[in-house]
Amino acid sequence: SKEKQSDDRADRTGGRGLASTKGFSRKRSNDPYRPARAGPPRPQRMEREGQRFDPQQMNERYLTRVKETLGVSDEEWQVLKPKVEKVRVAQMNIQRRGGGMRMGQRSEGNIDAGISPLDKAYRDLQAVLGNKDASAKDIATKLAALREARKKSEDELAEAKKQLKELLTQRQEAQLVLM
C-alpha cells in the first residue's frame, strides 16, 4: 500500500524524506530537474589541493594508461607513442573550440603562439560577432573560414586514427575505443 511505502521511506531517511538524502537538497539549483550537488565544494578547476594544474603531467598519465591498456612492450610503445600523441592532439584541437594553447606550450609574447588554425578561426568568428557593426559579408567570411578549419582538423584526425589503427591488433583498437 502507498501508506506502507511512505512509512518505509520515512524509516530509511529518518523521517526527513528524499530532500535529506545524499544528492538532494532543499536549495534550488539553476536546473530544476537536477538535484543540488551533495558534499564539499569541488576544488577550483585549475588548482587541486594547492597544486597547479600541469598539462604535461596529465598527458604523461594518459599515455602511461594507454600503454598499460594496450599491454605493449617498451619497444612497441616507442613506435605507437607518436601515433597516439598525434591522435590526442588532433582530438583536442577539435574539442577545444578556441581554448588556446596545446598541452605544455607557452606563449612568448605572441598571442597566437601555439594556437591551432581551428582555434584561430573560432576566435576570429567570435571577434566579428562581438562587433555589432560587422557586415553580413564579414561574418560569412569568418564562418566559412571556421568551417574550412574544422573540416581540415577532422581530416587530420581521421588520418592520424588511420595511421594508428594500422599498427594495432583488433583487441588493442577496441581497447582504445573504450577509453
Side-chain angles (χ1 to χ4, degrees), residues 106-126:
R106 299 276 185 243
S107 175
E108 296 291 331
N110 180 359
I111 193 123
D112 290 336
I115 296 176
S116 74
L118 180 57
D119 289 331
K120 183 171 179 350
Y122 184 85
R123 287 181 179 184
D124 289 348
L125 179 58
Q126 281 182 320

Side-chain angles (χ1 to χ4, degrees), residues 1-110:
S1 80
K2 288 185 180 180
E3 287 180 24
K4 175 75 173 147
Q5 289 174 341
S6 179
D7 290 342
D8 289 344
R9 184 180 305 133
D11 288 342
R12 286 193 311 269
T13 62
R16 295 178 305 259
L18 286 177
S20 64
T21 60
K22 184 176 181 182
F24 291 87
S25 171
R26 292 186 190 276
K27 290 189 257 178
R28 304 248 324 139
S29 68
N30 291 342
D31 183 351
Y33 298 103
R34 187 176 196 177
R37 186 181 170 282
R42 292 182 182 169
Q44 291 296 318
R45 183 175 181 196
M46 296 303 282
E47 289 190 33
R48 303 231 192 263
E49 299 174 15
Q51 295 181 352
R52 304 281 300 152
F53 172 75
D54 184 356
Q56 284 183 318
Q57 187 179 37
M58 185 182 82
N59 192 44
E60 286 304 315
R61 282 194 308 264
Y62 171 79
L63 292 172
T64 299
R65 198 173 94 223
V66 169
K67 181 183 177 196
E68 290 170 357
T69 299
L70 295 178
V72 296
S73 69
D74 290 338
E75 295 80 27
E76 292 170 319
W77 184 241
Q78 292 305 313
V79 174
L80 288 175
K81 183 179 176 183
K83 306 288 185 190
V84 170
E85 288 175 321
K86 188 174 181 180
V87 169
R88 181 164 166 100
V89 167
Q91 286 173 331
M92 288 173 40
N93 283 341
I94 290 172
Q95 294 171 351
R96 211 172 28 243
R97 291 189 180 196
M101 295 182 283
R102 293 186 182 149
M103 291 186 127
Q105 288 186 336
R106 299 276 185 243
S107 175
E108 296 291 331
N110 180 359

